[in-house]
Every structure is written in C-alpha cells, then in structure tokens.
Amino acid sequence: MSNDNVIKLIQPGTFTDHLTEILRHGACALLTQAVEAEVAEFLTKHADLKTGDGHRRVVRHGRLPEREIMTGIGPVAVRQPRVRDRETGTGDPERIRFTPTILPPYARRSKSLEMLIPILYLKGVSTGDFEEALAALLGKDAPGLSASTITRLKEVWIDEHKRWNERDLSTKRYVYVWADGIHLQARLEDNAQCILVIIGATPGGRKELIGFTDGTRESAHDWRALLLDLKRRGLSVAPELAAADGALGFWKALGEVWPKTREQRCWVHKTANVLNKLPKSQHAKAKRALQGIWMAETKAEAEAAFDAFVETYALKYEKAAECLKKDREALLAFYDFPAEHWKHLRTTNPIESTFATVRHRTIRSKGCRSNKTALAMVFKLVEGAQKSWRRLDGHNQLPKIIEGVKFIDGLEAAAEPAGSQAQTAAA
C-alpha cells in the first residue's frame, strides 16, 4: 500500500526549523575550524622540541569525546583534538598540554547564554520556571538547564560577587573615576532605591568597575560607606578627577574621603536640569547655547559662552540661569586635563552606556526576599559588559597627569626656561 498520502505530524513540544538547523551546522563547522587552527598553531610553536630518539615531542593524538555547547541557537556539537607529549607521563607537571582558548575545559554553555540567565531572573522569572523558559528558546532537550542547575549557578555568582566585593585594591591606582546612582528597578529592597556605581580609569587607560552596591542616590551616608570601603581595601591614592551628576550625596562624601580630587559635573545631566526649568519653546535654542559652552576650544571661550547664556536667560528664566551658574567651576574643570580626554570627562557616559541595556531589561518584583541575588545578577551583567569597554583616547597622557604635569586648554603647559625664572626672581 502506498504511503504517499501519509503526513508525519509534529509531536507536542517539538518543532522543525530548517534555518536554525542550517545555522547550527554552520556554527559547528566554524567552531571546528577555529579549534583546528588553534591546535595547528600550537603544534607549530612546539615543532622544534624533540624526544630522546629525535622524533617530534608534541604531536596530535586523536580526539576527545564529543561534547555539546549550549548556545543561543541551541546545542552545538564539537570534538576537540587531543595533543600528546611523548616525553612525559600523564601526571608529570612538566607535561605540555593543549587547551584551546575558544573552548575552555568543561565549558558547557556560551557566554551569551550565561548573560541570558541573569536577565531572565531580573525580569522576575522564578527558579522553577527557568527550565520551561529556556526550553522554549533552546529546545525541549537542552541539557543542564534544570531548576537545580540554575540554583547552583546563582550560588556561584553570589560567591563571585562576594569575592569581588572583598578583593584587595592596594596595588590599584585610578586617574579618573565616574560615579552615578542607577535606577534599575531590579528586585532591590524597598529602602535601596538604586545601584551606586563607581568606574575608574587605570594609568594604562583601561576602564574598570571599582565599586558597586545598592543604596540611595542622594545619600551621603551610602556614598561615604562605599568610598571608605574602597579605601579600607587599599585604594589609598585619590583619583585626580571625579565625574558625576549633581547628586549632593556623592560630592559631600567625596570631599570627606578624597578632598583633593577635582570635581567635574556631567554636562548631559546639567543640560537636562537646565532645560527642565525652561519652557519647551526655548529648549532647542538653549540646548545649542549650552553646547557652545562645553564644545568651546578654550576655557576662555567657554567662560564667554557661559556668561552669554546666563545674561540671556537670567532676566526671564532666573531658575535656569542659577541652575547653570552654581556649578560653574565644576562644569569647566575638564579644560585643565588633556584634550584627548575631554569627551570622556564631560559626562558620566561610561556608566550610562553600560547600564542602558541593563536598565531596560529589569523590572521591580514586589516582595522579593533575595536582595543579594539580585545584586549578583546585575553584577554578572556588568562583568560581561566590562569586556567590551573601550580604552581611553590619549591614554599615553595619563602618566603625565600622575607626575603632576599641568595642562592648559587641553595642551601640556610648556615648562618655563631656567633663565627666565632667574630673571623673574632677580626682579
């Protein structure tokens, strides 16, 4: 009997997606090629090593058993090449071993998938619902995604966050810091209104997350506790400049803990604050005038544009003019630092851009009893984002700032000749 009219029905809980299968096979092929290229490079690097009888010491030796790596398009199978060191035994500490960087030992899921789990938790998905939620994304038979696995992962991340919060900072130095209170609405306790964040720039120009805790944005007490904790753990050298918005709590705490640190107000926040005190009909014109201040080539030009704005708006919009006037010195502090750094110092963008996507992914869950778990989840998201942070432009100028070199209008101030100094002293 012909079965031409027999139609195979899709079983409940399964689906057929040819595009996903094509992508998965392509990912498998690319991963295999990448690992093969890495093992070839490893063998070439050790090609000159010989055994006692003159044969190559490091050679290929088959493959390890196949394992599956969970990714955003489902499981991808891979077999890692095995490398043998002919000269040493299995337990010999001198044995040359091959471990591909693209495929760490015991890796079972991709980094993008690890970021998905904190996002789902912060969205309010409970531990018991993770298996169902991830099965819808990765397939019904996705391994290692049970409720018990998720619970173990959360415990690991909580422990990682705790160790990071207690790490030694005595060898660290930060030339600049950016501080902000980010409202994530992410399962925090009722009295913890936001995440207090401090990011620093190292002498090499790398941006690093320094401090991270829950608290109240305007609370000097919470900011002071965070700064003192950093200081107690060894961060003894104060940064040269701190950039933040107008939150009085941070500036008060900074003056008590690091009194010699220069202050730089964020121009994005200040612009928004000034525009809030003007009618909408004035916004476009006022925004261009404010931009003319912080985009000026020299501090003198910025001062002139500053005065012009105040004079223009003071008569009719006194509150807007006063909002700008009160932070004059702090708004223009960046002119005393290298011009290459200006775009980094004028705003708190290093923090805002990092938390922008995190903010949209989180929502408050009433009655949550695990504040530390929520913090650990946010920490994992920030830790992942930190890997893509750009190095500061003009990072070669940072050691000069540490040495005390002065900058005027973004340019290094020329040292006064010794002869002219002697003439001045004689006069």
Side-chain angles (χ1 to χ4, degrees), residues 164-165 179-180 195-198 210-214 220-233 250 253 257-258:
W164 181 86
N165 254 341
D180 204 354
I195 302 289
L196 305 183
V197 184
I198 300 179
I210 309 174
F212 172 87
T213 187
D214 56 332
H221 171 78
D222 290 342
W223 278 113
R224 187 186 303 108
L226 178 56
L227 293 176
L228 287 174
D229 179 58
L230 299 178
K231 201 169 182 179
R232 277 192 295 268
R233 289 191 280 122
F250 171 75
V257 180
W258 290 329

Side-chain angles (χ1 to χ4, degrees), residues 151-215:
T151 299
R152 286 196 300 271
L153 274 176
K154 289 197 299 184
E155 290 173 354
V156 169
W157 292 338
I158 290 171
D159 186 54
E160 287 179 1
H161 179 222
K162 182 177 182 293
R163 289 199 307 271
W164 181 86
N165 254 341
E166 297 172 351
R167 73 199 187 285
D168 178 46
L169 297 173
S170 59
T171 61
K172 292 291 187 177
R173 168 92 189 251
Y174 298 100
V175 184
Y176 304 133
V177 296
W178 296 266
D180 204 354
I182 304 296
H183 293 265
L184 294 179
Q185 302 295 306
R187 287 187 164 195
L188 299 177
E189 295 171 350
D190 291 337
N191 61 343
Q193 298 176 2
C194 66
I195 302 289
L196 305 183
V197 184
I198 300 179
I199 290 174
T202 68
R206 302 290 181 185
K207 285 177 281 190
E208 296 180 357
L209 181 66
I210 309 174
F212 172 87
T213 187
D214 56 332

Side-chain angles (χ1 to χ4, degrees), residues 119-336:
I119 291 168
L120 291 177
Y121 179 85
L122 293 170
K123 273 290 189 181
V125 177
S126 65
T127 302
D129 294 334
F130 263 96
E131 189 170 8
E132 181 179 350
L134 292 172
L137 295 171
L138 305 173
K140 181 181 178 182
D141 299 323
L145 298 176
S146 64
S148 60
T149 301
I150 301 301
T151 299
R152 286 196 300 271
L153 274 176
K154 289 197 299 184
E155 290 173 354
V156 169
W157 292 338
I158 290 171
D159 186 54
E160 287 179 1
H161 179 222
K162 182 177 182 293
R163 289 199 307 271
W164 181 86
N165 254 341
E166 297 172 351
R167 73 199 187 285
D168 178 46
L169 297 173
S170 59
T171 61
K172 292 291 187 177
R173 168 92 189 251
Y174 298 100
V175 184
Y176 304 133
V177 296
W178 296 266
D180 204 354
I182 304 296
H183 293 265
L184 294 179
Q185 302 295 306
R187 287 187 164 195
L188 299 177
E189 295 171 350
D190 291 337
N191 61 343
Q193 298 176 2
C194 66
I195 302 289
L196 305 183
V197 184
I198 300 179
I199 290 174
T202 68
R206 302 290 181 185
K207 285 177 281 190
E208 296 180 357
L209 181 66
I210 309 174
F212 172 87
T213 187
D214 56 332
T216 305
R217 186 174 194 156
E218 304 291 339
S219 169
H221 171 78
D222 290 342
W223 278 113
R224 187 186 303 108
L226 178 56
L227 293 176
L228 287 174
D229 179 58
L230 299 178
K231 201 169 182 179
R232 277 192 295 268
R233 289 191 280 122
L235 194 59
S236 57
V237 181
E240 300 297 325
L241 180 135
D245 66 5
L248 297 178
F250 171 75
W251 296 117
K252 183 178 179 182
L254 182 75
E256 295 171 355
V257 180
W258 290 329
K260 294 183 178 180
T261 299
R262 295 279 302 277
E263 299 179 7
Q264 172 63 51
R265 291 292 194 279
C266 172
W267 270 100
V268 172
H269 286 90
K270 177 57 70 176
T271 298
N273 293 338
V274 172
L275 294 182
N276 283 339
K277 294 173 172 53
L278 293 170
K280 286 189 176 181
S281 60
Q282 295 291 324
H283 281 195
K285 184 178 179 181
K287 190 173 182 179
R288 287 196 301 270
L290 291 170
Q291 187 177 26
I293 301 173
W294 58 263
M295 287 292 287
E297 290 292 327
T298 67
K299 190 171 185 179
E301 292 176 8
E303 295 272 12
F306 201 106
D307 292 335
F309 184 96
V310 172
E311 186 179 3
T312 301
Y313 290 92
L315 185 61
K316 194 172 181 180
Y317 306 106
E318 183 181 358
K319 289 184 178 180
E322 285 298 321
C323 179
L324 183 67
K325 276 176 60 178
K326 68 185 181 71
D327 292 322
R328 183 184 191 116
E329 183 180 347
L331 285 167
L332 303 179
F334 68 89
Y335 280 103
D336 298 331

Side-chain angles (χ1 to χ4, degrees), residues 392-417:
L392 263 65
D393 292 347
H395 53 83
N396 59 311
Q397 303 281 26
L398 291 167
K400 296 180 183 179
I401 297 172
I402 294 174
E403 293 169 3
V405 175
K406 301 298 182 183
F407 287 82
I408 299 175
D409 293 331
L411 302 176
E412 185 177 341
E416 191 176 358

Side-chain angles (χ1 to χ4, degrees), residues 207 353-354 381-391:
K207 285 177 281 190
S353 58
T354 297
L381 292 177
V382 178
E383 187 181 50
Q386 184 174 246
K387 297 173 184 176
S388 62
W389 287 351
R390 287 181 61 248
R391 197 176 186 182

